């Protein structure tokens, strides 16, 4: 098994040590596919039938609001891409998933998942824990979005996911942070210049982003 | 946080509430429901009780059997509501199972509440004995997750009015249960704006 494909088994192992049989079952059932940059995995109106684990690359989530793309999330290595409501309730999705880089994804279905749980009940335990963790992160994301200024969101993003800044076009990052591309430029200048670092505390109070 | 124990009373009301909740799942016999209820930690809290404070490191999760929880942050000294949790919703204020980061939010009871208290990383023998319970937990979390995903995206991608509509759809009970200024804070508008939005929206009778 290629090193990159081991990432999923490693991910689960960090939550709970896997038996050889469990690890083998995961590897055997894994469906790994390459997706070129630009591939749309899910579109608005479509009912989702798959979930994805990112081995390599990046997937963007966005909405079309009055014809404009509003970016709401990025999923990179060791993250899950799943439209939970659409997948579990067979409801039409209200957003898009698209690869913003050439990516390698593990593609899963509910059926495959349930089969694995039947054979290896401990995998359901792992799944529950994963879900709880990702759910917590989601709730945190919501709370942050509601209370942080754009500049704070920028800082947090820079700290938590600095790799995104090399990989994602500026206008998409701006959308994600909730500002215009011009505002994002201004925020970056304020933060990266030595004078900016000191004065941006004042600027934050005085001027909008 | 041991202060939780002084706030909570594990009494008969809580157990009854838990028992009827577990028994509502056809997967369990009455006897199994009773056994499970004994294994689960359930507590009564009073309106105003604070479960998690900013700075706390917690992997606890709270499932609302009855009542309402409010999640909020202090932003420049202002109380900013970021979420409400009502019946059958779970509040999980941790960002990573592995890193145990300090909470940036407060979680408090907006009403007298009865809560199941658990740990997100729990690998208890209870789940091993009752795999069905784990499945049910996972499925309920999935539903909640899906709703939260939609809520987050709506909030990020929409106008305040659209956010209000989203709350109307996913948490309708909330509209009458919480103070208007908190609801406004949650939606991200002033209380005056919230009034205007509500007037604009025609409620079906």
């Amino acid at each position: 098994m290629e090193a990159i494909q081991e990432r999923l088994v490693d991910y689960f192992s960090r939550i709970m040590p896997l038996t050889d049989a469990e690890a083998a079952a995961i590897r055997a059932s894994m469906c790994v596919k390459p997706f070129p940059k630009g591939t749309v995995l899910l579109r608005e109106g479509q009912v989702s039938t798959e979930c994805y684990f990112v081995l390599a690359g990046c997937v963007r989530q966005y909405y079309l609001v009055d014809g404009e793309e509003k970016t709401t999330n990025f999923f990179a290595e060791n993250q899950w891409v799943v439209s939970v409501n659409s997948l579990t309730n067979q409801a039409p999705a209200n957003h898009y998933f698209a690869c913003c880089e050439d990516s390698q994804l593990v593609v899963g279905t509910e059926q495959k998942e349930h089969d694995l749980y039947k054979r290896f009940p401990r995998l359901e335990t792992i799944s529950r824990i994963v879900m709880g963790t990702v759910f917590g992160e989601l709730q945190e994301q919501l709370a942050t979005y509601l209370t942080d200024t754009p500049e704070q969101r920028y800082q947090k993003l820079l700290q938590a996911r600095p790799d995104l800044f090399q990989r994602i076009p500026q206008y998409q990052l701006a959308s994600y942070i909730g500002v215009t591309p011009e505002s994002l430029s201004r925020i970056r200048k304020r933060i990266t210049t030595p004078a900016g670092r000191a004065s941006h505390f004042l600027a934050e109070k005085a001027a909008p982003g | 946080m041991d202060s939780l124990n002084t706030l909570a009373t594990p009494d008969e009301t809580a157990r009854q509430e838990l028992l009827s909740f577990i028994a509502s799942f056809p997967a369990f016999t009455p006897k199994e429901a009773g056994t499970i209820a004994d294994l689960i930690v359930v507590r009564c809290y009073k309106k105003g009780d604070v479960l998690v404070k900013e700075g706390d490191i917690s992997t606890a999760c709270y499932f609302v059997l009855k009542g309402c929880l409010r999640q909020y942050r202090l932003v420049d000294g202002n109380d900013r509501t970021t979420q409400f949790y009502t019946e059958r919703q779970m509040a999980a204020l941790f960002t990573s199972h592995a890193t145990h980061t300090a909470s940036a939010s407060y979680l408090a009871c907006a009403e007298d509440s009865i809560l199941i208290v658990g740990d997100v990383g729990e690998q208890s023998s209870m789940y091993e004995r009752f795999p069905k319970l784990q499945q049910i937990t996972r499925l309920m979390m999935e539903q909640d997750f899906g709703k939260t995903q939609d809520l987050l995206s709506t909030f990020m991608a929409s106008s305040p009015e659209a956010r209000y509509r989203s709350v109307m759809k996913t948490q309708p009970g909330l509209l009458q249960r919480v103070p208007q200024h908190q609801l406004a804070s949650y939606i991200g508008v002033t209380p005056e704006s919230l009034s205007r939005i509500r007037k604009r929206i025609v409620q079906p009778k």
Side-chain angles (χ1 to χ4, degrees):
Chain A
M1 169 118 324
E2 277 184 63
I4 211 176
Q5 301 195 350
E6 269 306 277
R7 284 183 184 165
L8 182 58
V9 169
D10 290 343
Y11 177 89
F12 288 139
S13 304
R14 279 195 289 270
I15 293 166
M16 240 165 84
L18 298 174
T19 63
D20 289 340
E22 286 164 345
I26 293 170
R27 286 186 199 108
S29 75
M30 250 172 63
C31 172
V32 179
K33 286 194 194 149
F35 294 90
K37 173 175 174 173
T39 309
V40 177
L41 300 169
L42 181 70
R43 20 186 117 243
E44 185 180 332
Q46 192 185 335
V47 171
S48 177
T49 54
E50 294 173 335
C51 69
Y52 311 91
F53 180 81
V54 182
L55 295 173
C58 190
V59 177
R60 180 172 71 107
Q61 179 181 19
Y62 63 94
Y63 289 69
L64 278 186
V65 183
D66 298 327
E68 270 188 50
E69 286 181 9
K70 168 66 188 170
T71 297
T72 52
N73 226 328
F74 296 98
F75 306 99
E77 286 77 11
N78 287 355
Q79 291 191 295
W80 297 92
V81 180
V82 53
S83 187
V84 178
N85 190 34
S86 180
L87 184 65
T88 58
N89 296 325
Q90 292 294 283
N94 56 4
H95 63 88
Y96 296 78
F97 284 139
C99 296
C100 42
E101 293 179 354
D102 290 347
S103 304
Q104 272 205 64
L105 311 176
V106 181
V107 183
T109 62
E110 293 222 289
Q111 190 56 57
K112 243 198 237 171
E113 225 182 286
H114 294 151
D115 289 344
L116 271 177
Y117 298 155
K118 273 215 200 93
R119 290 163 60 201
F120 300 99
R122 277 175 14 120
L123 293 183
E124 180 150 32
T125 302
I126 292 178
S127 175
R128 180 185 51 80
I129 293 172
V130 168
M131 167 139 304
T133 306
V134 179
F135 190 29
E137 287 171 356
L138 185 67
Q139 291 183 345
E140 168 70 15
Q141 194 185 354
L142 179 58
T144 296
Y145 191 81
L146 293 178
T147 55
D148 285 349
T149 62
E151 200 158 295
Q152 284 169 325
R153 275 184 235 137
Y154 173 83
Q155 299 260 35
K156 283 187 183 166
L157 193 62
L158 190 60
Q159 202 171 28
R161 311 177 71 177
D163 57 300
L164 286 181
F165 288 83
Q166 320 313 329
R167 301 163 78 169
I168 308 292
Q170 292 302 288
Y171 75 93
Q172 283 175 5
L173 281 175
S175 174
Y176 177 54
I177 290 172
V179 297
T180 62
E182 295 73 31
S183 292
L184 181 61
S185 280
R186 281 197 293 271
I187 290 172
R188 296 190 85 160
K189 284 208 190 75
R190 269 209 296 271
I191 290 181
T192 54
T193 62
R197 253 190 289 261
S199 67
H200 94 266
F201 290 110
L202 301 170
E204 201 176 35
K205 302 285 181 193
Chain B
M1 286 268 334
D2 235 33
S3 58
L4 270 184
N5 290 326
T6 58
L7 297 175
T9 30
D11 65 11
E12 253 327 284
T13 321
R15 194 177 180 279
Q16 273 315 305
E17 199 64 45
L18 175 62
L19 197 51
S20 53
F21 175 67
I22 308 275
S24 72
F25 294 99
F28 306 118
T29 65
K31 185 157 179 274
E32 284 172 332
T35 308
I36 291 170
D38 284 337
L39 295 171
I40 290 177
V41 177
V42 63
R43 297 201 178 117
C44 289
Y45 295 88
K46 290 248 156 287
K47 174 174 175 171
D49 285 348
V50 178
L51 303 168
V52 179
K53 291 201 303 293
E54 181 182 329
D56 284 354
I57 295 178
S58 165
T59 52
C61 47
Y62 303 89
F63 182 83
V64 183
L65 284 176
K66 216 171 181 157
C68 182
L69 304 180
R70 185 172 74 100
Q71 184 178 345
Y72 59 98
R73 295 189 174 190
L74 292 183
V75 183
D76 297 330
N78 290 318
D79 181 325
R80 184 72 207 275
T81 298
T82 56
Q83 192 56 270
F84 291 99
Y85 305 90
T86 55
E87 283 77 11
R88 297 198 168 206
Q89 290 192 298
M90 185 179 89
L93 262 64
F94 47 85
T95 51
S96 167
H97 181 65
T99 62
H100 296 271
T101 37
S103 176
S105 303
Y106 293 81
L107 184 68
C109 297
E111 295 175 355
D112 289 352
S113 303
I114 300 176
L115 311 176
I116 293 176
V117 184
D119 186 284
V120 70
E122 191 154 24
Q123 297 167 36
S124 70
S125 53
M126 174 182 70
Y127 283 128
E128 260 175 72
R129 274 173 78 184
F130 300 101
K132 271 274 165 212
L133 181 66
Q134 174 145 264
Q135 187 186 45
I136 287 169
T137 304
R138 190 177 58 78
L139 292 173
M140 291 188 72
M141 219 190 310
E142 226 164 49
Q143 285 298 312
D144 209 352
F145 189 105
K147 288 203 188 116
T148 306
Q149 252 189 346
D150 282 351
L151 195 69
L152 173 62
S153 307
T154 302
F155 271 59
M156 288 178 81
S158 315
S159 62
E161 182 164 321
R163 294 181 193 182
Y164 181 80
R165 286 183 186 277
S166 175
V167 175
M168 266 175 76
K169 200 173 115 185
T170 55
Q171 301 173 295
L174 215 51
L175 302 176
Q176 319 307 332
R177 291 168 77 169
V178 302
Q180 291 304 287
H181 72 275
Q182 282 177 4
L183 189 60
S185 170
Y186 177 44
I187 305 244
V189 297
T190 61
E192 295 75 31
S193 293
L194 179 63
S195 281
R196 281 195 295 269
I197 289 171
R198 295 188 91 152
K199 286 206 188 78
R200 272 205 299 271
I201 293 175
V202 178
Q203 298 241 23
K205 285 287 174 233

